[in-house]
Amino acid sequence: MPQVIKVGPVTRVEGHLDIEVTVEAVNGRQQVVDAKSSGTMFRGFETMLVGRDPLDASQLTQRVCGVCPISHGMAASLALEAALGVTAPSNGRILRNLTLGANYIQSHVLHFYHLAAPDYLDTTGLLDMSPWTPRYVTSDMAKGSTAATFVDHYVKALEIRRKAHQMGAIFGAKMPASPTLVPGGATEPVTAARVTAFRALLTQMQAFINNVYIPDVLAVARLFPQYATLGKGSGNLLAYGVFDLNSAGSSKLLKRGTYTNGAFGQVNASLIKEYVKYSWYSVSNTGLNPSRGTTTAYPGKSGAYSWIKAPRYNDAVYEAGPLARMYVNGDYRKGISVIDRVAARALEAKKVADAMAGWLNELVPGAAVYAYKATPSNATGVGLTEAPRGALGHWLQIAGGKVSRYQIVTPTAWNASPMDDAGRHGPIEQALIGTPVADPNQPIELLRVVHSFDPCLSCSVHMSRPGDKARRMLVRV
């Protein structure tokens, strides 16, 4: 008999994600035969921005997510630059790359050590306290000295993440959200002292990535070889490209492209559509490109099960993320699976960190960091970039000098989307289908698949509730 397993809210993800799967015996093995990925909270940044000064977008949208705010600031700035017709000078472009790169490193380290790695470790006798208890303990988990080493690295990774934030704040003014990201570049001046301080921290990041992070990922791959064939999902990959290497944005460290049914292709943003048949939004918005779409909530809609929309590219299901970027760029093409996502993320951290060392050499102290241009009365702009978790797009319309439409399609909207109008499951749902479940009471296999995507529900669904009372706290330092 089929058995329905509900895992939610899923722990060790940003935001609120519920997973519901149906498990049934197939050829004598209990495995997932159906899956639903549900974003369970709604905000409304797209609606909040309507009627505001367009220049507010690069600051307000960073509050969409505290883990990857720099990416939202970048996407908003790129959309505004397209609308204003302005290009960042070399220094401004490099400063944004460095600030975003620092955010990538802290996010990738966060994912492996603090969100994903605990799925593979039996920490009994090592972490017998909250928040590490209660926990799943399964027979295949790493134990003993291996687990103890990972726990030590877990603690070290906290320090590395703090230093990555410090590094980002050198040119970002503060982290996690940076006020220096503006259309036309950045606002923090370049000095020799700041370059030296940044380089000192970056050297520590590189040492940790090379000597700890990558070896630990390889250890997990050796201990859990079965996950190199589990969790494939749709098999289609989408990347917008990131880290501009020239002012025109025509050359990027990680290029833009698609991987579809075994073939590589270009990205045409006009082929992106958002479907909402199974999402709590008005059906009048379904099947529209984000440039024409709106975010009109319809709570309680019959048949819906998520606050996440279902973005599709050329009416097909696509996965976004580090694996997609590294695959499209030709840096990693071993496969598409749970382990491949984890490995590609670690190797990308190295690629970005090494590139940052070179970008520091290109900075010119005292040279211009931004270019100014007045906001037009009427304009449109699209900003496509990559958050640590994948393809991120902002669509902007200006009318009468104010924002008249704003739409955001996030990486987790791609990855954790529900079914679309044609009944096609989202990437996480597809990756779960076929996954074996040894013990329905401890479905660790489901968590390993879900965590490999590094979902961020804060990004994918946004909520403000009228009437909620703000709370104030006094923090003494």
Side-chain angles (χ1 to χ4, degrees):
M1 290 291 293
Q3 180 178 357
V4 176
I5 300 175
K6 294 184 178 181
V7 182
V10 176
T11 58
R12 286 182 273 116
V13 300
E14 291 80 27
H16 299 74
L17 174 68
D18 281 356
I19 296 293
E20 179 182 302
V21 301
T22 302
V23 176
E24 191 172 348
V26 178
N27 297 323
R29 184 179 76 165
Q30 291 290 321
Q31 67 181 49
V32 176
V33 295
D34 193 19
K36 290 183 178 180
S37 168
S38 175
T40 61
M41 67 177 187
F42 168 78
R43 291 193 282 173
F45 272 85
E46 295 93 339
T47 303
M48 295 177 197
L49 285 164
V50 173
R52 300 190 68 105
D53 187 315
L55 298 181
D56 290 347
S58 60
Q59 300 305 314
L60 292 182
T61 59
Q62 290 190 61
R63 276 67 188 174
V64 169
C65 177
V67 178
C68 52
I70 306 305
S71 304
H72 283 282
M74 281 286 295
S77 294
L78 291 171
L80 286 159
E81 286 170 2
L84 274 59
V86 65
T87 301
S90 180
N91 260 9
R93 170 182 59 81
I94 295 169
L95 289 185
R96 297 202 301 201
N97 282 352
L98 291 169
T99 306
L100 180 60
N103 192 223
Y104 263 60
I105 291 172
Q106 77 81 22
S107 182
H108 286 1
V109 170
L110 162 68
H111 169 260
F112 181 69
Y113 286 100
H114 305 136
L115 304 181
D119 292 338
Y120 303 92
L121 306 175
D122 178 359
T123 56
T124 302
L126 298 169
L127 295 172
D128 296 329
M129 64 192 82
S130 179
W132 295 279
T133 57
R135 63 196 160 202
Y136 292 158
V137 177
T138 59
S139 60
D140 66 339
M141 286 179 164
K143 303 174 178 65
S145 60
T146 300
T149 297
F150 270 91
V151 169
D152 288 343
H153 293 172
Y154 180 109
V155 175
K156 178 64 176 178
L158 292 171
E159 177 190 350
I160 292 297
R161 287 185 55 221
R162 173 178 59 79
K163 290 183 176 181
H165 275 310
Q166 287 179 272
M167 184 171 67
I170 290 172
F171 292 123
K174 72 178 188 66
M175 293 290 273
S178 169
T180 68
L181 298 174
V182 295
T187 61
E188 200 72 4
V190 177
T191 66
R194 285 176 174 164
V195 171
T196 298
F198 196 103
R199 193 185 302 279
L201 289 166
L202 178 59
T203 299
Q204 296 179 55
M205 301 298 108
Q206 291 175 292
F208 181 82
I209 292 167
N210 292 333
N211 301 326
V212 182
Y213 183 8
I214 291 176
D216 281 350
V217 168
L218 293 175
V220 169
R222 288 193 299 269
L223 290 168
F224 297 86
Q226 67 272 31
Y227 284 91
T229 58
L230 290 176
K232 179 177 181 178
S234 68
N236 296 330
L237 304 172
L238 171 71
Y240 291 157
V242 67
F243 299 113
D244 290 344
L245 301 180
N246 58 21
S247 295
S250 57
S251 176
K252 301 177 186 293
L253 178 70
L254 293 161
K255 67 183 181 182
R256 181 174 298 177
T258 60
Y259 178 72
T260 311
N261 298 324
F264 292 94
Q266 303 299 310
V267 172
N268 180 350
S270 68
L271 297 179
I272 298 169
K273 295 180 181 179
E274 293 184 286
Y275 293 95
V276 299
K277 180 177 180 179
Y278 294 95
S279 308
W280 288 302
Y281 297 101
S282 171
V283 292
S284 62
N285 296 308
T286 203
L288 299 179
N289 183 267
S291 64
R292 298 171 50 224
T294 61
T295 301
T296 307
Y298 188 173
K301 187 175 78 175
S302 177
Y305 61 90
S306 181
W307 280 112
I308 306 174
K309 297 178 184 179
R312 298 291 184 259
Y313 181 79
N314 200 21
D315 280 333
V317 179
Y318 279 78
E319 173 183 335
L323 178 58
R325 288 192 292 265
M326 296 289 277
Y327 226 93
V328 166
N329 211 53
D331 294 309
Y332 184 98
R333 291 178 179 172
K334 187 173 182 180
I336 302 175
S337 70
V338 170
I339 290 297
D340 290 311
R341 292 186 191 99
V342 175
R345 186 175 275 105
L347 294 174
E348 183 183 69
K350 174 178 172 56
K351 184 179 181 71
V352 171
D354 291 348
M356 291 165 70
W359 295 333
L360 284 173
N361 297 330
E362 299 175 20
L363 288 172
V364 179
V369 293
Y370 74 94
Y372 171 79
K373 193 168 184 180
T375 303
S377 294
N378 300 285
T380 62
V382 179
L384 302 181
T385 188
E386 291 278 329
R389 286 158 184 79
L392 171 65
H394 285 210
W395 282 258
L396 162 72
Q397 290 184 10
I398 301 171
K402 302 293 184 181
V403 174
S404 60
R405 185 193 304 272
Y406 207 100
Q407 288 295 289
I408 301 172
V409 181
T410 65
T412 298
W414 288 102
N415 290 336
S417 66
M419 289 188 294
D420 57 31
D421 293 23
R424 293 173 292 229
H425 287 278
I428 287 178
E429 293 178 338
Q430 289 192 25
L432 286 167
I433 294 172
T435 298
V437 179
D439 180 1
N441 295 314
Q442 294 196 109
I444 191 65
E445 301 89 348
L446 308 184
L447 291 184
R448 289 167 179 164
V449 172
V450 172
H451 283 148
S452 73
F453 286 88
D454 195 12
C456 181
L457 278 295
S458 300
C459 272
S460 56
V461 286
H462 319 127
M463 175 179 182
S464 64
R465 294 193 303 183
D468 278 9
K469 294 183 179 179
R471 298 179 180 179
R472 294 185 295 177
M473 294 184 292
L474 175 63
V475 180
R476 299 188 185 277
V477 294

